[in-house]
Amino acid sequence: MPQLFKRRANAIANATIMGGGLIFLGACGVVFALGRSDYWTRKEEAPAQPVPFSHEHHVAGLGIDCRYCHTSVEKSSFAGMPPTETCMTCHSQVWKGAPVLQPVRDSLQYGRPLRWTRVYDLPDYVYFDHSIHVDKGIGCASCHGRVDQMPMTWETQPLYMRWCLDCHRQPEMHLRPLDEVFNLAYASPQNQFLVGRTLEEQNHVHHEGLTDCYTCHR
Amino acid sequence: MKPDLYGFMAEFEQPEELLNAARAAHEAGYRKMDAYSPFPVEGAAEAIGFERTRVPLVVLIGGITGAGVAYGMQYYSAVWDYPLNIGGRPLHSWPSFIPITFELTVLFAAVAAVFGMLLMNGLPKPYHPVFNAPAFKLASQTRFFLCLQATDPQFGERTKYFLAGLNPIAVHEVES
Amino acid sequence: MNAPGQTPVVAPGYDSGSVTRKITDIVLARPLGRGWLGGFAFAFALLMMMNFAIGWLLMRGVGIWGINIPVAWGFAIVNFVWWIGIGHAGTFISAILLLLHQDWRTSINRFAEAMTLFAVACAGLFPLLHLGRPWVFYWLLPYPDTMGLWPQWRSPLVWDVFAVSTYGVVSLMFWYVGLIPDLATMRDRSAPRPLQFIYGVMALGWRGSARHWKRFKMAYLLLAGLATPLVLSVHSVVSLDFAVGIVPGWHSTIFPPYFVAGAIFSGFAMVLTLLIPVRKAYGLQDFITIRHLENCAKIMLATGLMVAHGYITELFMSWYSDDKFDIYMTLNRMFGSYAPAWWLLMFCNVLTPQALWFKKIRTAPVILFFIALLVNVGMWTERYVIVVTSLHRDFMPSAWGSYHGTRWDWMTLIGSFGLFLSLLFLFLRLLPAISITEMRQLVREKKEPQ
Amino acid sequence: MNMNTWRSMDELEDKPAYRDWLQREFPPLASEWTNEASRRSFLKIMGASFALAGLSACTRQPLEKIVPYVRQPEELVPGQALYFATALNLEGYARGILVESHEGRPTKIEGNPEHPASLGASDVFMQAEILALYDPDRSKSVTNGLEISTWDEFLALVVREREKWKSNGGAGLRLLTGYITSPTLLSQIEALLKEFPNAKWHVHEPLATKTPQPIFDVAKAEVILAVENDFLGPGPAQLKYARDFASRRRANSGALSFNRLYVAESTPSMTGARADHRYALGPRALQELGMALATGASLPSWGDPMLADLTRNKGRSLLLVGDSLSEEVRQFALNWNRPLQIAQPLPSRGDSLPELLRDVAAGKIETLVILGGNPAYDAPVDFKFAEKLALVPLRIRLGLYEDETSALCQWRLPEAHSLETWSDARAFDGTATITQPLIEPLYGGKSAHELMAALTGNGMVGGYDIVRQYWHAQHTGDDFEKYWRKSLHDGVVEGTGGGKPSEFAPHGRAETSGSGLELVFRPSPSIRDGRFANNAWLQELPQPFTKITWDNAAMISPATAKRLELSNEDVVDLKYRGRLVRAPIWILPGQADDCVTVHLGYGRTHAGHVGNDVGFDAYALRTSDAPWGGSGLAIVKTGLRHPFATTQHHQSMEGRQQVRVGTLSEFQQHPAAVAQAGEPAPGRDETLYTPVAYKGHAWGMAIDLGACIGCNVCTIACQAENNIPVVGKEEVARGREMHWIRVDNYFEGAPENPRLHFQPVPCMHCENAPCELVCPVGATAHSSEGLNQMVYNRCVGTRYCSNNCPYKVRRFNFLEYDRNRFESAPVLKLLRNPDVTVRTRGVMEKCTYCVQRINRVRLDAEKQNRPIRDGEIIPACAQACPAVAIVFGDINDPQSNVSKFKASPLNYGLLAELNTRPRTTYLAKLLNPNPEVEKA
């Protein structure tokens, strides 16, 4: 009987099986990686803004405190975005005619609000509250990174639920003295674990219920 | 004797003849041989000196792995990774973990059985010298074949006559 | 071999060659008949109807079905349980009967296994469709996600996922492994190059070496050994969907055994419903003899009695438990607004099979066919009764309600037959419907005494 | 107490007709919304949906915008709600409210604790007003005939008109309003009438009597007899009455100072449901009873001990009679009650409707200005208002909707909603509230004040100035600003309470002579006199006793039904005094025999896309001489059927002791016996598992069935707080209503005169929750404080949890309800509570104990480093409840109010025998029957 297949068919057969397996695993790997990639989470991606606002300049350069613009960060779930007025308190004096600030001036003049692009965008079913985090000694930088080094603002964290849980499971690893909360340059000490324990006492942080669903979802 | 010879192949009508032939060949000192039949012939494997298969061992390993993986996964996720109070039940609700453990045990064992078998049989092997033998397509239908391979030290021109002596229907040369 | 007066499992006068020819010719020599085309067209039309229904479902949501609060489960779950049940005969025949050395299994196991696969395929569809958000079905699978969440292992639905998928995979492998030598035969018997090639690829280069056969037999035996507890486990797990719940009419410890019995019951019913026409259409009376039909009937009778026992135990327990909810549920089933369904299932599943006590009926294909049909209907109704009547009146009278399927429910149910039959027709057309290898052995064994 | 129960008159699902109807009502592609994609686009969308199904899990989150203010308002902290005190009117009477506002969007209404007519509670109408505010059907433009016009053109018209009036002293000018208590508006009307002496002002209010009932101190009453008087039912003083009544029904705290309530009524009412002795009598019999009391004639057997009871407590007993009874009786009752009378609402000034119509007929009227109301729909049918109105040359209408009346006027002016305008109003006791706007008029409406300003020749003055001017004039003391601010802040104007009693001028009794069936008119418990007809929340609110939604019915007693061979859903012709209305039958246990009750307010034709063609219009039978009904009704079967959508098909308890009832004496003898009637719950230790210990807080709820009056406000308050969608009649009929807390309704005892029970049922938050166990993805799990959490965004929608919930309190989004024809209007997005997720299709939802409120309080407490105070967290249902029947708090704190409730011997868990360990428990209901009466 004539051979139905060529000699190399065996090699091909094995190759297809091996290859198929590898391709499948590869595909899984790609999906897995893509889901965690910065592309996907828009991490470290600085979206275009109506005004090229530089935290670096305002915070590091001019030493303006976070709360000067984000007024409600200690009072409310929402940190607050500065109304145009706030910008103009200074910019009616400095950079009066700067073309980059035209949108700001227009905004005030025509009462048209500025439309910034969100950098940190949590899903709508997540109820994050800035005030409580600040109050318990979680620094701005813990989530927002060194904004004082950002010419344009970008996301420094993936904002995955797992990432939230990391901190909610062991807050002691992320707590800092209350007076350091707004210090972007604060570096956690070597013995953060021990320090964290004492800070837990001081800041009245309760582990109980930190990982309850209803803590963030309603 | 041609160099590119895989072996000589005797073709038989009945499985009993195949068995006898195989036994004879084995007594004659042939080792590198194989028997081919359209359905499993009792004792054929033993006749050509193939005593025991390791398939059961593979299956056992597969089963144990499955059980381990299943229970481990459940214990880790429910007790360790994200402990949740589900209707006041304990975190380690072992009775609820049994069904999945069982299922995965069976699954892993079964997969091990099939792929173990194929692997040890060296399948898939779409090309094989024996297919060169004329009339070998009957091996999957009605006929029985005994093939003595050229790699056997005893192999030689006489092997052909030896096979012919086992009164087969025919003896074929199988070139590799 | 045969007890006197018993029809043989294969008609005399066959040898390896003729057996091989007869079976392979169905696929290789037989021309595309009008019957097959018509049948396939019909089945395919049904399948398309289901796709339409599913499309609408995905667009609008499960609200297009009749489900509501309190009856939050309807046709989808009923169909799921029913199809899974159907899927039990195959593996039962090939695995358990193999271990029991029932030689009569050989000529029907391939067919039954195929049926099992297709039934499981249909069954697997429904749990996905019945989700409120089917596109996140994969949350029921354990995988390292970015949320840090896992399935909730205490839920029988998760057990289902594993039970059904395991069952599907194992049945598939069992079926394919059994096919390999036959595929080799097909390869060697098919004339056109492309066919040879396709069968050749699928046969993995099988050459019937003695070594291979030994490992093959061992693996096959072990698979059978593994499949046996699996068959018994699958429907047990499915039954836990109900037994784990606290709903009166669900929360019952006898569910696992009587679900398994019911499954095999309905499975064999389906085997008969399909075999009887098929053996006629393809002239396989010599291989699938009256003996086979009779044995299937016997198994139906046995499992049918188990099911009946299950029903009776249920009634007895609700009386014996003296639980007010349970008692009400039972009475409501028998005399409530869904009473007709209950009496229908009693007629189909308890009364009808009693006819099988008589050899005359067991050996009359036509009658068997209709009995099997009735049992299929009955088993579907049983699941309907369990799901719907239990839910529509449970604990709080203030929350009692009613349920009935909308036309979308019916389209999906009927459409699933389309899927099942389409696959079946393709199978009959493309693969040897009877295990050639095992038939060869069988005809030899049957010869030996002479 | 006998627990012998009977099956409900009718169980819809048993009736084949019901199924037929479903086929009829929901043709093939059942459960499409009417505005659904056409079949042509089916495949396209289908393909899309397949793709979506595949991809939705893996699409990159799109960029969103964040838009700050240009100038941020002073008091506003983004992300935090503000509360403003104002008031809402019901037939002119103010009920004080606090309105929650998020970034300038009013989202929720609560009662104002400072206000005497609200006491911090609210009724269904107050709760639903917030939806009415945003109603997309409200009239949006000034219209003249078919022309869209402008306010300026209208002002020009007014100027021209005024010239005419100046010449003839306003002869031919008529003003038609509803009942008005607003001091400012009254003064404006006075001013108008002073300027134009020949002008006249007429008042029409379909339900309120000309001089409304005085208000009594129910809390002080030892014995109350209510004859056809539903004082616990909807009405201007309901909230106060409910609070006072409940205060005399508390068995869990302090001494047992129970009052006793006798009720004689023709149709079951909330008051009747609370009665210790209830008698179902037709209007004629009621009138006789009343006369017998007044004249001392002989009473029925039970009457004498009852009368004795009343007289024994004379001065501390109340005899409350309905408007339908004769003057003699009402006068007698008034005198009887004087000692307990605390307020007499000011009688409405202005002339009545008949006088107006007489002038119309005489052709004396050139200009008719209609402020609010809807006389074309709800005026007595014999007035023929509609056709008479046509005789008036110039018809001006200021209205919230383009309703039946507007349809007959050339000038149609959009009215601003109470929450959009400056105004003021008085409560039943005269307490004035200055109402302030929460938001600019959404649809460019103006208030009655602004219109009156125009008519009085002041042009378009803002409501603020008008109201402020008025009160400035009233204010004698100095520092008006302070007084003004305080009044606004408190929501009540100091020293305006305590309305003075006035002369009694009865009106509108039922005509009770004659024979045959009797007809009784009642305002709808959901949509009142029809003014709330376009409010989807109220339309879908299950009516007490019938549990009917989206319909009204001709309600008859079981016996009458048997006699007339009628069954539920039979459509009949109601022939009454030469008029005819076609109505479906509902058989109502506890209804008086041979008497048919119909609810007013339905069958609207110009209500809006929600309220049009819902039910039948009972006004078509309502005549001025017998506004509350009368004899001479004939019922003719038509052979047609009309399906109802009810939320409770089965109203017998099947002996399962959901509601546990005892008498006061039983309770005093064996305190535990009443609540422990049912199977006992297994003990904590009866388990193989170690019970979970809840350290810290453990939230729990207690519901006092002894206090509940079944007013439904918990249901609708929850709906407002939790963004619960309306699903419509078809979906309700399929058993898919979404209410998180339902008020179950049971009949107990003999069908002809059963006991009536209410039972609010929210999620029980079981500690051994059966629902959690079966969820395959852990979308529902327990919190460390014992909340049964439902996480929508994790839910895949297997619905297994609902199946396994013995209380069936879980609700499922079978379809995209947020996009249905009730919810899809973009403006309604403003109404959503930003603290609660709007659920998508295919996920389960249920009562969360208002976790958003729990969390808000917790965070505040945390930030202030203090423990959460008891009573600081109030779920929406508890906050709204006028009877304080719902208490919520920390059951780990023995001092908490809820712990005290649960400590009561009356405390029991619903279906606790299933070992679910419910966190929500009930206090059994105690009755205080009169032993002599029971003997008689």
Side-chain angles (χ1 to χ4, degrees), chain C residues 169-247:
Chain C
V169 172
V170 172
S171 310
L172 180 64
M173 293 193 302
F174 200 47
W175 181 69
Y176 180 67
V177 168
L179 259 171
I180 291 176
D182 287 7
L183 286 166
T185 311
M186 300 295 282
R187 171 195 64 199
D188 297 344
R189 281 189 56 81
S190 51
R193 196 82 176 68
L195 262 187
Q196 290 183 336
F197 182 80
I198 295 167
Y199 287 121
V201 169
M202 294 203 299
L204 305 176
W206 179 265
R207 52 186 192 276
S209 141
R211 290 186 176 74
H212 292 183
W213 276 124
K214 191 173 171 66
R215 297 203 184 89
F216 176 93
K217 277 177 68 183
M218 179 54 73
Y220 199 73
L221 199 65
L222 288 168
L223 268 183
L226 289 166
T228 305
L230 192 61
V231 178
L232 302 181
S233 81
V234 178
H235 229 54
S236 305
V237 171
V238 171
S239 79
L240 293 181
D241 287 349
F242 306 104
V244 166
I246 65 170
V247 182

Side-chain angles (χ1 to χ4, degrees), chain D residues 860-873:
Chain D
D860 292 347
E862 288 273 348
K863 282 186 265 180
Q864 296 158 19
N865 283 328
R866 60 168 177 82
I868 296 171
R869 297 186 214 93
D870 181 38
E872 202 177 354
I873 302 171

Side-chain angles (χ1 to χ4, degrees), chain D residues 787-808:
Chain D
L787 292 180
N788 174 286
Q789 308 169 113
M790 179 68 226
V791 188
Y792 314 123
N793 45 299
R794 177 65 174 172
C795 178
V796 298
T798 66
R799 304 181 298 287
Y800 199 173
C801 51
S802 170
N803 289 344
N804 217 32
C805 170
Y807 310 94
K808 290 289 174 285

Side-chain angles (χ1 to χ4, degrees), chain D residues 79 321 453 485 529:
Chain D
V321 299
R485 289 206 163 284
D529 56 6

Side-chain angles (χ1 to χ4, degrees), chain C residues 97-150:
Chain C
L97 296 190
L98 176 77
L99 297 182
L100 298 176
H101 298 298
Q102 293 296 313
D103 53 12
W104 61 274
R105 72 178 263 292
T106 39
S107 51
I108 57 170
N109 70 335
R110 170 72 43 74
F111 183 82
E113 285 168 33
M115 191 193 82
T116 293
L117 282 177
F118 307 151
V120 172
C122 294
L125 212 55
F126 287 99
L128 289 187
L129 294 181
H130 105 293
L131 293 180
R133 300 198 292 166
W135 47 89
V136 287
F137 73 94
Y138 57 87
W139 285 353
L140 276 81
L141 309 172
Y143 69 101
D145 58 16
T146 57
M147 301 172 282
L149 294 173
W150 298 93

Side-chain angles (χ1 to χ4, degrees), chain D residues 1 48 74 122 269 296 309 342 414 432 529 573 597 620 715 778 862 918 928:
Chain D
M1 167 129 313
E74 278 308 320
S122 46
S269 71
D309 202 359
I342 50 175
D529 56 6
D573 284 336
T597 303
T715 304
E862 288 273 348
N928 182 20

Side-chain angles (χ1 to χ4, degrees), chain D residues 85-398:
Chain D
T86 176
L88 290 169
N89 292 357
L90 186 65
E91 284 127 40
Y93 296 106
R95 282 95 41 80
I97 57 169
L98 300 176
V99 185
E100 179 180 351
S101 165
H102 290 272
E103 285 85 33
R105 318 180 276 115
T107 58
K108 180 77 166 67
I109 292 176
E110 305 293 359
N112 177 358
E114 313 284 317
H115 194 277
S118 141
L119 304 168
S122 46
D123 65 18
V124 291
F125 309 123
M126 290 157 78
Q127 289 292 343
E129 272 302 343
I130 197 74
L131 179 58
L133 165 67
Y134 292 104
D135 189 343
D137 289 345
R138 275 175 53 191
S139 78
K140 299 187 180 63
S141 57
V142 180
T143 335
N144 176 12
L146 301 174
E147 308 292 306
I148 297 286
S149 182
T150 66
W151 283 103
D152 297 337
E153 286 183 38
F154 174 71
L155 283 182
L157 171 84
V158 172
V159 172
R160 270 182 268 115
E161 285 294 311
R162 280 182 55 81
E163 292 314 314
K164 215 188 301 161
W165 302 337
K166 284 207 184 84
S167 59
N168 61 12
L173 169 61
R174 293 289 188 278
L175 196 61
L176 177 59
T177 72
Y179 182 62
I180 294 174
T181 61
S182 160
T184 308
L185 192 53
L186 288 171
S187 74
Q188 286 181 296
I189 294 174
E190 265 168 23
L192 183 76
L193 297 180
K194 188 151 345 91
E195 187 181 4
F196 305 119
N198 303 344
K200 280 217 185 73
W201 165 38
H202 302 267
V203 173
H204 165 67
E205 194 62 62
L207 297 182
T209 51
K210 184 166 190 210
T211 299
Q213 289 248 352
I215 306 300
F216 305 100
D217 191 343
V218 170
K220 286 212 184 67
E222 300 298 330
V223 183
I224 304 170
L225 166 61
V227 182
E228 201 70 333
N229 179 320
D230 185 14
F231 66 99
L232 291 177
Q238 176 188 28
L239 302 175
K240 177 177 172 43
Y241 280 151
R243 180 70 53 88
D244 290 351
F245 184 82
S247 72
R248 298 298 304 274
R249 291 282 171 159
R250 296 253 176 247
N252 59 313
S253 56
L256 297 166
S257 64
F258 270 43
N259 60 10
R260 179 171 293 136
L261 174 61
Y262 301 87
V263 174
E265 60 184 358
S266 55
T267 191
S269 71
M270 293 175 192
T271 311
R274 303 293 298 128
D276 301 302
H277 296 285
R278 180 180 177 278
Y279 304 99
L281 305 174
R284 218 178 295 118
L286 289 166
Q287 172 61 20
E288 280 156 16
L289 173 66
M291 284 308 287
L293 289 167
T295 60
S298 71
L299 291 160
S301 59
W302 48 269
D304 300 317
M306 174 186 73
L307 183 56
D309 202 359
L310 281 165
T311 22
R312 203 180 310 119
N313 296 285
K314 199 154 195 333
R316 284 176 291 105
S317 64
L318 281 174
L319 173 49
L320 303 173
V321 299
D323 295 331
S324 63
L325 274 77
S326 68
E327 295 163 26
E328 304 89 313
V329 181
R330 287 155 59 90
Q331 192 58 51
F332 173 76
L334 187 76
N335 301 334
W336 182 286
N337 297 337
R338 276 251 153 68
L340 290 179
Q341 179 170 338
I342 50 175
Q344 168 61 57
L346 298 168
S348 156
R349 284 167 288 175
D351 307 313
S352 68
L353 196 54
E355 292 152 330
L356 171 72
L357 295 170
R358 219 173 297 120
D359 293 358
V360 172
K364 287 193 200 146
I365 301 179
E366 284 129 28
T367 312
L368 177 63
V369 181
I370 307 175
L371 301 185
N374 188 9
Y377 167 71
D378 57 26
V381 60
D382 53 326
F383 286 177
K384 303 201 166 49
F385 182 89
E387 48 193 80
K388 294 241 180 76
L389 184 59
L391 305 174
V392 180
L394 176 57
R395 308 177 294 279
I396 300 166
R397 172 85 195 301
L398 179 73

